[in-house]
Amino acid sequence: YNLANVYFDLKQFEKAIEYYSSAINLNPNDADIYSNRGTCYLQTQQPILAYKDYKKTVVLNPTDPSANNGLRMLTPILQNANQ
């Protein structure tokens, strides 16, 4: 998880996704990991995966500000894409 955060801070989002995914396998109930990986997905133009991670974050921690903001931003974009 710490190494994922280093890659995140370096804006190496693809590498961060790899390490966040490994961290999720070890700790699948950590909302922060899903939130951070969701942000990485957003930064790498993968809005559907970002949305799924933000949704999981909110299930685990309903008050997470990053996930709630991400969902508010992505919901209309994904709805328009499906029309």
Side-chain angles (χ1 to χ4, degrees):
Y1 178 68
N2 290 332
L3 192 52
N5 288 334
V6 169
Y7 283 116
F8 183 95
D9 291 341
L10 293 171
K11 299 188 184 328
Q12 294 183 16
F13 298 113
E14 292 289 346
K15 200 71 170 166
I17 288 168
E18 181 181 324
Y19 284 97
Y20 284 131
S21 296
S22 294
I24 286 169
N25 288 333
L26 296 172
N27 191 359
N29 294 316
D30 187 325
D32 291 337
I33 301 171
Y34 285 99
S35 181
N36 290 350
R37 189 176 71 172
T39 301
C40 290
Y41 282 135
L42 196 57
Q43 292 295 323
T44 57
Q45 307 303 311
Q46 300 179 75
I48 294 170
L49 294 174
Y51 183 86
K52 288 179 181 180
D53 272 2
Y54 289 146
K55 286 290 277 186
K56 180 67 174 180
T57 301
V58 171
V59 167
L60 296 170
N61 179 9
T63 61
D64 185 282
S66 295
N68 282 301
N69 288 337
L71 288 173
R72 274 193 294 278
M73 180 184 66
L74 287 170
T75 298
I77 293 169
L78 294 176
Q79 286 175 341
N80 288 337
N82 288 329
Q83 292 179 356

